[in-house]
Amino acid sequence: MCRMSDELPAYAERVLEVAERIPPGRVMTYGDVAEWLGEGGPRQVGRVMALYGGAVPWWRVVRADGVPLPGSERRALEHYRTEGTPLRETPSGEPRLAMRAARWDGRDEGAGGDEAHT
């Protein structure tokens, strides 16, 4: 990731670096990102994504319930469909992320093992 700004808070930069590592077609929840970093929590990650997430694949950091980001549903769904992110439909026909299939655990999928955290 290129440095976005010297003014970017260090925690925000770490969150954005994780968002950039998520492979196309996969997602991490706000809580997953916080747990992977070993600091903060879902709300802190959500705040970072709200303030700075436009510079990274923001649609890959999601709510745990699989509901697309309110206000950005259409754009997120376009990205999910383009990337082949697993989706499902609710009984009422609304699209949701198929979290079991889409969730990424932070491991390098090509290496098959745990990767060192930042």
Side-chain angles (χ1 to χ4, degrees):
M1 177 173 104
C2 63
R3 297 276 181 214
M4 295 180 186
S5 166
D6 290 334
E7 299 174 25
L8 188 66
Y11 181 72
E13 191 162 322
R14 288 190 295 277
V15 167
L16 298 178
E17 286 172 356
V18 172
E20 285 190 322
R21 295 176 63 123
I22 302 169
R26 303 301 298 272
V27 298
M28 289 180 92
T29 68
Y30 298 114
D32 291 342
V33 172
E35 184 178 329
W36 199 84
L37 287 172
E39 62 182 312
R43 290 181 186 215
Q44 289 82 7
V45 171
R47 181 77 174 145
V48 168
M49 294 305 294
L51 292 174
Y52 309 108
V56 299
W58 54 267
W59 58 92
R60 296 182 192 154
V61 181
V62 301
R63 295 169 31 161
D65 62 5
V67 174
L69 184 65
S72 298
E73 299 95 341
R74 182 174 290 156
R75 287 187 356 208
L77 286 168
E78 288 173 11
H79 287 293
Y80 299 143
R81 289 181 177 123
T82 298
E83 294 183 354
T85 308
L87 298 170
R88 64 178 181 84
E89 282 192 11
T90 65
S92 63
E94 295 183 50
R96 297 285 184 267
L97 288 160
M99 291 302 291
R100 283 189 181 182
R103 204 168 193 172
W104 186 58
D105 64 6
R107 285 187 239 174
D108 182 0
E109 293 179 346
D114 281 332
E115 197 171 88
H117 295 178
T118 50

